[in-house]
mmCIF file of all heavy atoms in Angstrom:
data_model
loop_
_atom_site.group_PDB
_atom_site.id
_atom_site.type_symbol
_atom_site.label_atom_id
_atom_site.label_comp_id
_atom_site.label_asym_id
_atom_site.label_seq_id
_atom_site.Cartn_x
_atom_site.Cartn_y
_atom_site.Cartn_z
ATOM 1 N N ASN A 374 103.200 154.193 90.236
ATOM 2 C CA ASN A 374 102.448 155.312 90.783
ATOM 3 C C ASN A 374 101.811 156.085 89.632
ATOM 4 O O ASN A 374 102.368 156.223 88.544
ATOM 5 C CB ASN A 374 103.325 156.188 91.685
ATOM 6 C CG ASN A 374 104.067 157.265 90.961
ATOM 7 O OD1 ASN A 374 103.496 158.245 90.493
ATOM 8 N ND2 ASN A 374 105.394 157.100 90.864
ATOM 9 N N VAL A 375 100.601 156.542 89.872
ATOM 10 C CA VAL A 375 99.768 157.068 88.797
ATOM 11 C C VAL A 375 100.291 158.402 88.265
ATOM 12 O O VAL A 375 100.085 158.729 87.094
ATOM 13 C CB VAL A 375 98.300 157.176 89.266
ATOM 14 C CG1 VAL A 375 98.104 158.341 90.215
ATOM 15 C CG2 VAL A 375 97.357 157.301 88.080
ATOM 16 N N GLU A 376 100.976 159.195 89.077
ATOM 17 C CA GLU A 376 101.548 160.456 88.596
ATOM 18 C C GLU A 376 102.610 160.166 87.532
ATOM 19 O O GLU A 376 102.649 160.810 86.475
ATOM 20 C CB GLU A 376 102.139 161.246 89.754
ATOM 21 C CG GLU A 376 103.042 162.397 89.359
ATOM 22 C CD GLU A 376 102.335 163.536 88.651
ATOM 23 O OE1 GLU A 376 101.085 163.536 88.584
ATOM 24 O OE2 GLU A 376 103.038 164.429 88.139
ATOM 25 N N TYR A 377 103.460 159.186 87.806
ATOM 26 C CA TYR A 377 104.471 158.786 86.833
ATOM 27 C C TYR A 377 103.817 158.264 85.558
ATOM 28 O O TYR A 377 104.180 158.664 84.445
ATOM 29 C CB TYR A 377 105.374 157.716 87.451
ATOM 30 C CG TYR A 377 106.264 156.985 86.479
ATOM 31 C CD1 TYR A 377 107.368 157.619 85.910
ATOM 32 C CD2 TYR A 377 106.008 155.660 86.123
ATOM 33 C CE1 TYR A 377 108.196 156.946 85.014
ATOM 34 C CE2 TYR A 377 106.826 154.982 85.233
ATOM 35 C CZ TYR A 377 107.916 155.626 84.683
ATOM 36 O OH TYR A 377 108.722 154.971 83.801
ATOM 37 N N PHE A 378 102.835 157.382 85.717
ATOM 38 C CA PHE A 378 102.211 156.776 84.544
ATOM 39 C C PHE A 378 101.420 157.805 83.734
ATOM 40 O O PHE A 378 101.397 157.750 82.499
ATOM 41 C CB PHE A 378 101.304 155.621 84.956
ATOM 42 C CG PHE A 378 100.754 154.852 83.790
ATOM 43 C CD1 PHE A 378 101.610 154.176 82.937
ATOM 44 C CD2 PHE A 378 99.396 154.816 83.532
ATOM 45 C CE1 PHE A 378 101.116 153.476 81.841
ATOM 46 C CE2 PHE A 378 98.890 154.119 82.451
ATOM 47 C CZ PHE A 378 99.758 153.443 81.597
ATOM 48 N N SER A 379 100.799 158.758 84.399
ATOM 49 C CA SER A 379 100.060 159.793 83.664
ATOM 50 C C SER A 379 101.022 160.670 82.865
ATOM 51 O O SER A 379 100.696 161.121 81.769
ATOM 52 C CB SER A 379 99.211 160.640 84.614
ATOM 53 O OG SER A 379 100.013 161.500 85.410
ATOM 54 N N GLU A 380 102.220 160.908 83.400
ATOM 55 C CA GLU A 380 103.223 161.658 82.653
ATOM 56 C C GLU A 380 103.694 160.865 81.429
ATOM 57 O O GLU A 380 103.895 161.432 80.345
ATOM 58 C CB GLU A 380 104.429 161.987 83.543
ATOM 59 C CG GLU A 380 104.162 163.025 84.610
ATOM 60 C CD GLU A 380 103.990 164.425 84.027
ATOM 61 O OE1 GLU A 380 104.441 164.659 82.885
ATOM 62 O OE2 GLU A 380 103.398 165.277 84.709
ATOM 63 N N ILE A 381 103.860 159.566 81.593
ATOM 64 C CA ILE A 381 104.230 158.711 80.472
ATOM 65 C C ILE A 381 103.170 158.798 79.380
ATOM 66 O O ILE A 381 103.473 158.977 78.187
ATOM 67 C CB ILE A 381 104.406 157.245 80.930
ATOM 68 C CG1 ILE A 381 105.661 157.086 81.795
ATOM 69 C CG2 ILE A 381 104.440 156.298 79.728
ATOM 70 C CD1 ILE A 381 106.964 157.238 81.054
ATOM 71 N N MET A 382 101.899 158.668 79.760
ATOM 72 C CA MET A 382 100.820 158.730 78.764
ATOM 73 C C MET A 382 100.814 160.079 78.057
ATOM 74 O O MET A 382 100.598 160.155 76.835
ATOM 75 C CB MET A 382 99.471 158.450 79.422
ATOM 76 C CG MET A 382 99.288 157.016 79.888
ATOM 77 S SD MET A 382 97.581 156.607 80.353
ATOM 78 C CE MET A 382 97.395 157.560 81.865
ATOM 79 N N HIS A 383 101.042 161.140 78.804
ATOM 80 C CA HIS A 383 101.060 162.476 78.223
ATOM 81 C C HIS A 383 102.193 162.598 77.196
ATOM 82 O O HIS A 383 102.003 163.151 76.103
ATOM 83 C CB HIS A 383 101.229 163.508 79.334
ATOM 84 C CG HIS A 383 101.336 164.920 78.867
ATOM 85 N ND1 HIS A 383 100.284 165.586 78.261
ATOM 86 C CD2 HIS A 383 102.368 165.800 78.899
ATOM 87 C CE1 HIS A 383 100.673 166.815 77.948
ATOM 88 N NE2 HIS A 383 101.926 166.965 78.319
ATOM 89 N N LEU A 384 103.361 162.074 77.524
ATOM 90 C CA LEU A 384 104.494 162.131 76.600
ATOM 91 C C LEU A 384 104.269 161.273 75.360
ATOM 92 O O LEU A 384 104.726 161.613 74.256
ATOM 93 C CB LEU A 384 105.778 161.681 77.311
ATOM 94 C CG LEU A 384 106.304 162.605 78.419
ATOM 95 C CD1 LEU A 384 107.483 161.951 79.133
ATOM 96 C CD2 LEU A 384 106.717 163.959 77.846
ATOM 97 N N MET A 385 103.553 160.179 75.522
ATOM 98 C CA MET A 385 103.304 159.281 74.394
ATOM 99 C C MET A 385 102.481 159.950 73.298
ATOM 100 O O MET A 385 102.535 159.535 72.130
ATOM 101 C CB MET A 385 102.592 158.019 74.878
ATOM 102 C CG MET A 385 103.448 157.085 75.716
ATOM 103 S SD MET A 385 104.809 156.330 74.797
ATOM 104 C CE MET A 385 103.936 155.099 73.857
ATOM 105 N N ARG A 386 101.748 160.972 73.631
ATOM 106 C CA ARG A 386 100.931 161.660 72.633
ATOM 107 C C ARG A 386 101.783 162.258 71.507
ATOM 108 O O ARG A 386 101.292 162.427 70.392
ATOM 109 C CB ARG A 386 100.104 162.767 73.306
ATOM 110 C CG ARG A 386 99.007 162.241 74.211
ATOM 111 C CD ARG A 386 98.412 163.349 75.052
ATOM 112 N NE ARG A 386 97.758 164.383 74.260
ATOM 113 C CZ ARG A 386 96.507 164.355 73.831
ATOM 114 N NH1 ARG A 386 95.743 163.314 74.127
ATOM 115 N NH2 ARG A 386 95.995 165.363 73.128
ATOM 116 N N ASN A 387 103.031 162.573 71.795
ATOM 117 C CA ASN A 387 103.906 163.192 70.797
ATOM 118 C C ASN A 387 104.754 162.185 70.029
ATOM 119 O O ASN A 387 105.568 162.581 69.188
ATOM 120 C CB ASN A 387 104.816 164.223 71.473
ATOM 121 C CG ASN A 387 104.046 165.429 71.972
ATOM 122 O OD1 ASN A 387 103.149 165.923 71.298
ATOM 123 N ND2 ASN A 387 104.383 165.895 73.168
ATOM 124 N N GLU A 388 104.571 160.899 70.325
ATOM 125 C CA GLU A 388 105.350 159.872 69.643
ATOM 126 C C GLU A 388 104.650 159.492 68.330
ATOM 127 O O GLU A 388 103.575 158.900 68.333
ATOM 128 C CB GLU A 388 105.507 158.646 70.541
ATOM 129 C CG GLU A 388 106.350 158.895 71.779
ATOM 130 C CD GLU A 388 107.807 159.151 71.434
ATOM 131 O OE1 GLU A 388 108.441 158.262 70.825
ATOM 132 O OE2 GLU A 388 108.304 160.253 71.755
ATOM 133 N N LEU A 389 105.271 159.821 67.213
ATOM 134 C CA LEU A 389 104.643 159.658 65.902
ATOM 135 C C LEU A 389 104.921 158.309 65.253
ATOM 136 O O LEU A 389 104.233 157.918 64.304
ATOM 137 C CB LEU A 389 105.124 160.770 64.967
ATOM 138 C CG LEU A 389 104.892 162.210 65.453
ATOM 139 C CD1 LEU A 389 105.415 163.201 64.418
ATOM 140 C CD2 LEU A 389 103.412 162.451 65.714
ATOM 141 N N ILE A 390 105.906 157.572 65.746
ATOM 142 C CA ILE A 390 106.317 156.339 65.090
ATOM 143 C C ILE A 390 105.199 155.298 65.079
ATOM 144 O O ILE A 390 105.080 154.490 64.142
ATOM 145 C CB ILE A 390 107.589 155.754 65.757
ATOM 146 C CG1 ILE A 390 108.122 154.560 64.972
ATOM 147 C CG2 ILE A 390 107.312 155.355 67.205
ATOM 148 C CD1 ILE A 390 108.559 154.907 63.566
ATOM 149 N N TYR A 391 104.346 155.320 66.092
ATOM 150 C CA TYR A 391 103.309 154.292 66.194
ATOM 151 C C TYR A 391 102.297 154.411 65.057
ATOM 152 O O TYR A 391 101.863 153.407 64.497
ATOM 153 C CB TYR A 391 102.626 154.368 67.555
ATOM 154 C CG TYR A 391 103.596 154.161 68.697
ATOM 155 C CD1 TYR A 391 104.108 155.247 69.396
ATOM 156 C CD2 TYR A 391 104.027 152.889 69.047
ATOM 157 C CE1 TYR A 391 105.022 155.067 70.425
ATOM 158 C CE2 TYR A 391 104.936 152.689 70.072
ATOM 159 C CZ TYR A 391 105.440 153.791 70.756
ATOM 160 O OH TYR A 391 106.346 153.609 71.759
ATOM 161 N N ARG A 392 101.902 155.633 64.717
ATOM 162 C CA ARG A 392 100.967 155.785 63.596
ATOM 163 C C ARG A 392 101.625 155.347 62.293
ATOM 164 O O ARG A 392 100.975 154.754 61.418
ATOM 165 C CB ARG A 392 100.491 157.238 63.509
ATOM 166 C CG ARG A 392 99.573 157.517 62.309
ATOM 167 C CD ARG A 392 98.346 156.587 62.305
ATOM 168 N NE ARG A 392 97.583 156.765 61.086
ATOM 169 C CZ ARG A 392 96.486 157.519 61.014
ATOM 170 N NH1 ARG A 392 96.046 158.165 62.088
ATOM 171 N NH2 ARG A 392 95.830 157.630 59.883
ATOM 172 N N ALA A 393 102.908 155.615 62.149
ATOM 173 C CA ALA A 393 103.605 155.181 60.940
ATOM 174 C C ALA A 393 103.592 153.660 60.828
ATOM 175 O O ALA A 393 103.428 153.105 59.727
ATOM 176 C CB ALA A 393 105.042 155.701 60.955
ATOM 177 N N ILE A 394 103.747 152.978 61.966
ATOM 178 C CA ILE A 394 103.706 151.510 61.968
ATOM 179 C C ILE A 394 102.312 151.024 61.584
ATOM 180 O O ILE A 394 102.159 150.087 60.793
ATOM 181 C CB ILE A 394 104.119 150.961 63.353
ATOM 182 C CG1 ILE A 394 105.588 151.272 63.622
ATOM 183 C CG2 ILE A 394 103.854 149.462 63.444
ATOM 184 C CD1 ILE A 394 106.039 150.945 65.038
ATOM 185 N N ILE A 395 101.287 151.666 62.149
ATOM 186 C CA ILE A 395 99.903 151.293 61.829
ATOM 187 C C ILE A 395 99.665 151.429 60.329
ATOM 188 O O ILE A 395 99.089 150.543 59.681
ATOM 189 C CB ILE A 395 98.911 152.186 62.611
ATOM 190 C CG1 ILE A 395 99.059 151.981 64.125
ATOM 191 C CG2 ILE A 395 97.476 151.923 62.164
ATOM 192 C CD1 ILE A 395 98.747 150.600 64.613
ATOM 193 N N ASP A 396 100.081 152.550 59.762
ATOM 194 C CA ASP A 396 99.903 152.761 58.323
ATOM 195 C C ASP A 396 100.629 151.690 57.514
ATOM 196 O O ASP A 396 100.172 151.297 56.427
ATOM 197 C CB ASP A 396 100.434 154.139 57.917
ATOM 198 C CG ASP A 396 99.564 155.280 58.423
ATOM 199 O OD1 ASP A 396 98.368 155.034 58.682
ATOM 200 O OD2 ASP A 396 100.074 156.409 58.564
ATOM 201 N N ASP A 397 101.733 151.219 58.040
ATOM 202 C CA ASP A 397 102.556 150.264 57.305
ATOM 203 C C ASP A 397 102.000 148.841 57.337
ATOM 204 O O ASP A 397 102.149 148.097 56.364
ATOM 205 C CB ASP A 397 103.982 150.278 57.877
ATOM 206 C CG ASP A 397 104.980 149.567 56.970
ATOM 207 O OD1 ASP A 397 104.857 149.706 55.737
ATOM 208 O OD2 ASP A 397 105.865 148.875 57.492
ATOM 209 N N VAL A 398 101.356 148.451 58.438
ATOM 210 C CA VAL A 398 100.939 147.044 58.580
ATOM 211 C C VAL A 398 99.494 146.798 58.183
ATOM 212 O O VAL A 398 99.082 145.640 58.034
ATOM 213 C CB VAL A 398 101.165 146.530 60.027
ATOM 214 C CG1 VAL A 398 102.625 146.657 60.414
ATOM 215 C CG2 VAL A 398 100.262 147.250 61.024
ATOM 216 N N LEU A 399 98.708 147.859 57.986
ATOM 217 C CA LEU A 399 97.299 147.668 57.657
ATOM 218 C C LEU A 399 97.049 147.821 56.156
ATOM 219 O O LEU A 399 97.632 148.666 55.487
ATOM 220 C CB LEU A 399 96.421 148.668 58.420
ATOM 221 C CG LEU A 399 96.325 148.473 59.930
ATOM 222 C CD1 LEU A 399 95.356 149.481 60.536
ATOM 223 C CD2 LEU A 399 95.916 147.054 60.297
ATOM 224 N N GLU A 400 96.153 147.001 55.682
ATOM 225 C CA GLU A 400 95.723 147.054 54.288
ATOM 226 C C GLU A 400 94.304 147.613 54.255
ATOM 227 O O GLU A 400 93.385 147.035 54.842
ATOM 228 C CB GLU A 400 95.755 145.645 53.685
ATOM 229 C CG GLU A 400 95.456 145.581 52.205
ATOM 230 C CD GLU A 400 95.610 144.168 51.668
ATOM 231 O OE1 GLU A 400 96.768 143.724 51.499
ATOM 232 O OE2 GLU A 400 94.579 143.501 51.457
ATOM 233 N N VAL A 401 94.145 148.741 53.571
ATOM 234 C CA VAL A 401 92.861 149.444 53.551
ATOM 235 C C VAL A 401 92.265 149.362 52.152
ATOM 236 O O VAL A 401 92.930 149.717 51.167
ATOM 237 C CB VAL A 401 93.037 150.924 53.954
ATOM 238 C CG1 VAL A 401 91.703 151.650 53.927
ATOM 239 C CG2 VAL A 401 93.680 151.023 55.341
ATOM 240 N N PRO A 402 91.022 148.887 52.018
ATOM 241 C CA PRO A 402 90.385 148.848 50.696
ATOM 242 C C PRO A 402 90.335 150.233 50.060
ATOM 243 O O PRO A 402 90.172 151.240 50.754
ATOM 244 C CB PRO A 402 88.973 148.339 51.017
ATOM 245 C CG PRO A 402 89.095 147.631 52.323
ATOM 246 C CD PRO A 402 90.168 148.362 53.087
ATOM 247 N N LYS A 403 90.485 150.286 48.744
ATOM 248 C CA LYS A 403 90.503 151.569 48.056
ATOM 249 C C LYS A 403 89.171 152.308 48.180
ATOM 250 O O LYS A 403 89.121 153.531 48.078
ATOM 251 C CB LYS A 403 90.846 151.357 46.576
ATOM 252 C CG LYS A 403 92.276 150.877 46.354
ATOM 253 C CD LYS A 403 92.585 150.710 44.880
ATOM 254 C CE LYS A 403 94.037 150.240 44.684
ATOM 255 N NZ LYS A 403 94.361 150.046 43.236
ATOM 256 N N THR A 404 88.100 151.577 48.394
ATOM 257 C CA THR A 404 86.780 152.206 48.502
ATOM 258 C C THR A 404 86.393 152.505 49.946
ATOM 259 O O THR A 404 85.255 152.891 50.217
ATOM 260 C CB THR A 404 85.713 151.292 47.888
ATOM 261 O OG1 THR A 404 85.738 150.013 48.562
ATOM 262 C CG2 THR A 404 85.959 151.086 46.398
ATOM 263 N N ALA A 405 87.335 152.341 50.869
ATOM 264 C CA ALA A 405 87.024 152.524 52.296
ATOM 265 C C ALA A 405 86.638 153.971 52.593
ATOM 266 O O ALA A 405 87.252 154.911 52.078
ATOM 267 C CB ALA A 405 88.217 152.118 53.148
ATOM 268 N N ASP A 406 85.634 154.143 53.443
ATOM 269 C CA ASP A 406 85.227 155.472 53.901
ATOM 270 C C ASP A 406 86.368 156.093 54.708
ATOM 271 O O ASP A 406 86.924 155.459 55.611
ATOM 272 C CB ASP A 406 83.965 155.354 54.758
ATOM 273 C CG ASP A 406 83.473 156.692 55.255
ATOM 274 O OD1 ASP A 406 83.966 157.149 56.312
ATOM 275 O OD2 ASP A 406 82.606 157.290 54.606
ATOM 276 N N THR A 407 86.696 157.328 54.389
ATOM 277 C CA THR A 407 87.846 157.977 55.019
ATOM 278 C C THR A 407 87.672 158.124 56.517
ATOM 279 O O THR A 407 88.621 157.912 57.291
ATOM 280 C CB THR A 407 88.092 159.353 54.374
ATOM 281 O OG1 THR A 407 88.363 159.182 52.979
ATOM 282 C CG2 THR A 407 89.266 160.065 55.035
ATOM 283 N N ARG A 408 86.471 158.519 56.966
ATOM 284 C CA ARG A 408 86.264 158.682 58.410
ATOM 285 C C ARG A 408 86.383 157.357 59.143
ATOM 286 O O ARG A 408 86.937 157.287 60.244
ATOM 287 C CB ARG A 408 84.904 159.334 58.676
ATOM 288 C CG ARG A 408 84.900 160.826 58.401
ATOM 289 C CD ARG A 408 83.599 161.452 58.825
ATOM 290 N NE ARG A 408 83.565 162.864 58.439
ATOM 291 C CZ ARG A 408 82.477 163.525 58.117
ATOM 292 N NH1 ARG A 408 81.299 162.905 58.127
ATOM 293 N NH2 ARG A 408 82.534 164.801 57.789
ATOM 294 N N ASP A 409 85.856 156.294 58.557
ATOM 295 C CA ASP A 409 85.982 154.977 59.189
ATOM 296 C C ASP A 409 87.449 154.577 59.285
ATOM 297 O O ASP A 409 87.910 154.084 60.322
ATOM 298 C CB ASP A 409 85.219 153.924 58.375
ATOM 299 C CG ASP A 409 83.714 154.080 58.456
ATOM 300 O OD1 ASP A 409 83.233 154.702 59.427
ATOM 301 O OD2 ASP A 409 83.021 153.578 57.556
ATOM 302 N N THR A 410 88.168 154.782 58.205
ATOM 303 C CA THR A 410 89.582 154.409 58.180
ATOM 304 C C THR A 410 90.377 155.181 59.217
ATOM 305 O O THR A 410 91.172 154.599 59.973
ATOM 306 C CB THR A 410 90.174 154.675 56.779
ATOM 307 O OG1 THR A 410 89.438 153.926 55.816
ATOM 308 C CG2 THR A 410 91.639 154.286 56.731
ATOM 309 N N GLU A 411 90.170 156.501 59.261
ATOM 310 C CA GLU A 411 90.897 157.324 60.222
ATOM 311 C C GLU A 411 90.546 156.922 61.652
ATOM 312 O O GLU A 411 91.413 156.865 62.528
ATOM 313 C CB GLU A 411 90.590 158.800 59.986
ATOM 314 C CG GLU A 411 91.292 159.747 60.955
ATOM 315 C CD GLU A 411 92.806 159.666 60.893
ATOM 316 O OE1 GLU A 411 93.362 159.275 59.846
ATOM 317 O OE2 GLU A 411 93.452 159.988 61.920
ATOM 318 N N ALA A 412 89.272 156.649 61.910
ATOM 319 C CA ALA A 412 88.849 156.263 63.258
ATOM 320 C C ALA A 412 89.528 154.976 63.697
ATOM 321 O O ALA A 412 90.058 154.879 64.814
ATOM 322 C CB ALA A 412 87.329 156.104 63.296
ATOM 323 N N ILE A 413 89.518 153.976 62.829
ATOM 324 C CA ILE A 413 90.108 152.682 63.176
ATOM 325 C C ILE A 413 91.612 152.822 63.389
ATOM 326 O O ILE A 413 92.178 152.279 64.345
ATOM 327 C CB ILE A 413 89.783 151.643 62.087
ATOM 328 C CG1 ILE A 413 88.280 151.313 62.131
ATOM 329 C CG2 ILE A 413 90.619 150.374 62.260
ATOM 330 C CD1 ILE A 413 87.793 150.514 60.940
ATOM 331 N N LYS A 414 92.272 153.569 62.507
ATOM 332 C CA LYS A 414 93.719 153.746 62.653
ATOM 333 C C LYS A 414 94.069 154.524 63.922
ATOM 334 O O LYS A 414 95.056 154.213 64.599
ATOM 335 C CB LYS A 414 94.282 154.460 61.425
ATOM 336 C CG LYS A 414 94.394 153.578 60.188
ATOM 337 C CD LYS A 414 95.141 154.294 59.075
ATOM 338 C CE LYS A 414 95.441 153.357 57.915
ATOM 339 N NZ LYS A 414 96.252 154.005 56.863
ATOM 340 N N ARG A 415 93.266 155.523 64.238
ATOM 341 C CA ARG A 415 93.580 156.334 65.416
ATOM 342 C C ARG A 415 93.402 155.513 66.696
ATOM 343 O O ARG A 415 94.217 155.590 67.624
ATOM 344 C CB ARG A 415 92.685 157.574 65.447
ATOM 345 C CG ARG A 415 93.176 158.631 66.412
ATOM 346 C CD ARG A 415 92.523 159.965 66.145
ATOM 347 N NE ARG A 415 92.944 160.510 64.851
ATOM 348 C CZ ARG A 415 92.842 161.785 64.508
ATOM 349 N NH1 ARG A 415 92.343 162.653 65.379
ATOM 350 N NH2 ARG A 415 93.217 162.202 63.331
ATOM 351 N N ILE A 416 92.352 154.716 66.763
ATOM 352 C CA ILE A 416 92.137 153.865 67.936
ATOM 353 C C ILE A 416 93.225 152.795 68.013
ATOM 354 O O ILE A 416 93.754 152.496 69.094
ATOM 355 C CB ILE A 416 90.733 153.239 67.901
ATOM 356 C CG1 ILE A 416 89.664 154.326 68.054
ATOM 357 C CG2 ILE A 416 90.581 152.202 69.015
ATOM 358 C CD1 ILE A 416 88.250 153.831 67.863
ATOM 359 N N CYS A 417 93.574 152.206 66.867
ATOM 360 C CA CYS A 417 94.669 151.224 66.826
ATOM 361 C C CYS A 417 95.959 151.820 67.385
ATOM 362 O O CYS A 417 96.679 151.180 68.159
ATOM 363 C CB CYS A 417 94.919 150.782 65.380
ATOM 364 S SG CYS A 417 94.041 149.313 64.873
ATOM 365 N N THR A 418 96.239 153.051 66.977
ATOM 366 C CA THR A 418 97.470 153.710 67.426
ATOM 367 C C THR A 418 97.455 153.889 68.937
ATOM 368 O O THR A 418 98.469 153.668 69.619
ATOM 369 C CB THR A 418 97.622 155.074 66.738
ATOM 370 O OG1 THR A 418 97.584 154.899 65.324
ATOM 371 C CG2 THR A 418 98.941 155.728 67.123
ATOM 372 N N GLY A 419 96.296 154.279 69.483
ATOM 373 C CA GLY A 419 96.184 154.442 70.930
ATOM 374 C C GLY A 419 96.413 153.140 71.676
ATOM 375 O O GLY A 419 97.154 153.096 72.677
ATOM 376 N N PHE A 420 95.805 152.066 71.193
ATOM 377 C CA PHE A 420 95.999 150.766 71.837
ATOM 378 C C PHE A 420 97.460 150.329 71.752
ATOM 379 O O PHE A 420 98.006 149.734 72.678
ATOM 380 C CB PHE A 420 95.098 149.712 71.204
ATOM 381 C CG PHE A 420 93.711 149.651 71.792
ATOM 382 C CD1 PHE A 420 92.596 149.798 70.983
ATOM 383 C CD2 PHE A 420 93.521 149.444 73.154
ATOM 384 C CE1 PHE A 420 91.316 149.738 71.517
ATOM 385 C CE2 PHE A 420 92.256 149.380 73.704
ATOM 386 C CZ PHE A 420 91.143 149.530 72.882
#
Side-chain angles (χ1 to χ4, degrees):
N374 88 71
V375 74
E376 166 67 8
Y377 167 73
F378 187 63
S379 72
E380 289 289 340
I381 290 290
M382 291 192 290
H383 177 67
L384 292 174
M385 290 294 284
R386 291 169 63 86
N387 292 319
E388 293 292 300
L389 304 180
I390 187 63
Y391 300 99
R392 176 56 187 261
I394 293 172
I395 297 297
D396 289 337
D397 194 38
V398 301
L399 291 184
E400 186 176 285
V401 180
K403 292 181 179 179
T404 58
D406 181 274
T407 300
R408 284 187 185 149
D409 290 338
T410 302
E411 179 61 25
I413 291 169
K414 285 188 171 184
R415 195 164 293 199
I416 294 173
C417 267
T418 304
F420 274 124

